[in-house]
Amino acid sequence: FFDLVFAPAVHSARSPALMLRGLSFDVCGDLYASQFEVRSDIRNAGGLVCNIKNEWSSSLPTYVLSSQSAISSGTNDKVLKAQELKVPILDSHYVRDSLAAKGLLPIAKYQLWGPMNGEQPVRPRPSTQPPAQLLPKKRPDPAPESVKPVSQPAKPDPPTTSAAVAAPQPAKAPAPVPAAPKDQAAPPPSEQAKAAATSSNSSPPPQRSNSEPKVKQVIKKVPKKKETPVLDVSQCTFHVSHSLQHLPAWGQRELVLGAISSRKCTLITGSPGCGKSSVVPQLVVDAGIIPEGKQVVCVQPHQNSAVSMGEYVAQKRLKACGTEVGYQIRFVNQTGPNTRLVYATPDLLLRRLQIDPGFTTVGCLILDGIHVRDLQMEYLMAVVRDMLKKKGCSIKLVMLGNSTADEEGLAQFFKPSLLKAVHLQCTVPHVTEQYLEDAMECTSFTPEGTANGAAGMVRNQLPAGKSISERTVSALSLWKEGTLYHTLIQDLVLRYHLQDKPGAILIFLPEWNDVALTHSVLLDASKDLVIIALHSTASDTTLQRAFAPAPLGKRKVILSTSFAEAMQFKDVKYVINAGVSVTEFHDAKLCTVSRLVSLMTRESVKRVSQACQEGTVVHLFPSWKLEELPGESLTLRNLDELVLQCKVTATADIQSRFGSLLSPLPNAAIANAIKSLQNMHALSMDEQSTPTPLGCMLARLPVPPVAAKLLFWGAALRVLKPAAVLAAFLTLKTPFMHSPGAENPKLDCGACPHSDHHALLQAYAGWQAAEKTNDLTYCVRHALCPETLEMVKVLVTQFVALMMDANYAGPDCEKGSVLSYATLDKMEPNCPDLALVNCCLAAACLPNTCCVYPPSNGAPATFVAPSGAQAHPHWTSVQLASPKQVYSSEWLVYSELRSEQGKLQFMDSTVVGHKYAVLFCRSLIADGSQLWLDGWRASVPEGQQWEHTFTFRQLVNSKFQECIAQRDFELFPDELVDEVLGYVTENPIELSDVRHPGAVPVPQVAAEAQSILC
């Protein structure tokens, strides 16, 4: 009938299908085709008219494929020439082979191509009349005189050849046919069209006489689509170390490379230690799959994973790190011009979009750890998926994960025709899994509490055939879900240590505080234990100790959060799983961070069970709880940093971008993130919310926006080092490791009584002074984590170096003296530099502020959040001792507000005076004796003048914006720094009767009575 197929590039959620003359076929999975129909009432010679049908629209325009300049008229018709098509065109052999592979060829082979190999024709099924609204509406038109109708025989004789029969050739092209009115149904096919349509079932077509002019062929046959050649692995030269060639990824390299070379997206799953992260990237580099000049970028979920993998693979290939293989993390670029394989973190890839929106220098992007639901990873997947839809995109996407990866969800996300899944066959671990009842039976551990009569219920829930003592049944009845029993963990470690069987012990704990507490408990239990604490920011030295064997006569105990789930320790024979998960999620409505303590997910339990290849795994929850464990889901975190990245790169509309993720985000969370960024002047206040120059600068730093803004203000006000230290702590975590109920070590650091930030500065400065005097007990005395302090030191050096490149002119830093960048001296509570540091905190954290109401009638001071709810100090804050301290009516700026146990609790905070809030708030409105600061209403003394304050606010803000725009902090003059210091420390103002935003409406006043910073 026709010798080629027109496949419109219309995506459909259904399986692609082809309808020819009423017959519907599933063509093949890799066609970008929707359902379309070939009209049988074709008016021109060889014309092909298609009505595109999909579920989104029932009134799409008619597409006419022809070599003529015009065939049909009307507003809904569009004429295309064959050479103008921007869609795939496939010849009949390709479609025939696709139908034959699916067993559908006997239905259509005669209708499309005629009988093949002398077979008898198959009469087509009766065609189904399509809906009238999907047909082009035309008026009847008589057949041209030059075309003679061909009668159709009652039963066609089987042709002797398999070639397609040409359509009758007219003497001249017919005139355009006007479209029928919208309310008129399409007419039945004309006799001429019927004759043309049935010519394939009759004898050879009538011969054209010599007097008839030649007509140009309507559609030229298109060559077959080039298939992707199969990669011949035997012709590739690999440089994978022999020490890695025992891994399953190397043994199944033909399967891995075949999938990557033939598809745009590949999912590779396997158990930890099978070579996904180390071998697969090397195979892609050595096989020559990517073009010359492009890189293979392997994204690691954690910073130290990127560093360790980059150094490890470079060492195995006998190359220096940074030459052929390197890594790129926050402020560290260990790559060179000839680097082919780069290990990086997700935040670095997001910032790479700012300078390379299309990833033009990336040939293959590998996302490692895809089984863990991470927001940045899912955002990268959505960005790359949109890239793959564009014509000419040659990037390949490879996703690595273990057996818990959501293969079905990823297939639907990327489209089944694009994704190829490969599972590496790995050795089945020989692991004995035990549960809480087994641990209590062998250790005689009993939780604290009184008998509650639930022993009978516990007995009924135990698996059939499991025999335990009545003492254990009674102990199980006292178990509380979500409680971590450190004593039981200690008993299990000592029991395994006293056994003769060698092997390390790996303990999974929910969060860092539990790691620190368990570390101190085990140190007191035995001197023969080598205890190593792992977390996502652990140093390279700590990682090397974790993988190294224990000294002779010692047993290695590794304490880790979920960070170690993807690692494979060869010497681990015992795994203790606490079974408790602490999840932090962001409340979009209250702009708070909440903690949820619960049992860990099914996927996490499975990953923990794969942490060792041989040995014993103990889950510290009852066995019957295994079926009740929740599934894994994406945790909603603070979206400020990711939303800012999306705004700066402008790769797509922000609502559609976050709505198209594998786990779509709620619009309320996105709107609150935009509002938060507008409050910190990172986005404009209009509806477009475009990035400001400050927002663009904040997006360039791989740190939270609050930490970056604190760093910029520190450079402007000439207190760069203390601001860099606080920004580093905001980026990482607090170094204090005390537990609830213990004495707060912040009180012993010599800090002022109202500032957690000053306590952090004093602890860091004291630690550096102790290093100079070789005082090894300083961290123990003050409950400090030395690894966190080391990471802060590295980050401070990077921060200061970055600001020195932006012409920082402060007296505390000397350009070129890199070793002195991270040094810091202690700051006295009343020194001028501390007042300037408080200015930086107020400028960076506002409007994250609480109003402090002083104690009255013996009641302690109260803190009121912007929502009007009462807030409380977190148990780690120095503000917890507020009943013993004297507060005036002041303001408290905080870095984070948590919601725990039904109460709002602020984390690290600092109390500042009224002038700090007046100078750095975004909106300041004066109306007689009333003052509004970012919606807070306060009463002021009569006759208070605000003209100088308004002018000074605009001056400070304009100079800061100039520094940001020019990237030159020397533009902020020293004289202005002195004026800022004098303003906040001299002539304090009194504010009374402060009300939270929303309690009293903000009045409409004249422009000269308000100061709104932009």
Side-chain angles (χ1 to χ4, degrees), residues 294-297 349 352 356 359-365 395:
K294 294 195 175 185
Q295 293 178 331
V296 177
V297 179
L349 263 292
R352 192 168 185 169
D356 186 13
F359 283 156
T360 56
T361 59
V362 180
C364 180
L365 180 62
I395 190 173

Side-chain angles (χ1 to χ4, degrees), residues 429 431 433 575 604-613 617 619:
V431 175
E433 293 195 62
V575 177
S604 295
V605 171
K606 189 172 183 180
R607 290 193 292 266
V608 166
S609 301
Q610 298 174 350
C612 67
Q613 291 294 322
V617 178
H619 305 289

Side-chain angles (χ1 to χ4, degrees), residues 766-779 781:
W767 170 71
Q768 288 200 325
E771 277 193 328
K772 295 179 181 179
T773 61
N774 201 21
D775 184 1
L776 302 180
T777 63
Y778 178 83
C779 291
R781 295 197 313 268

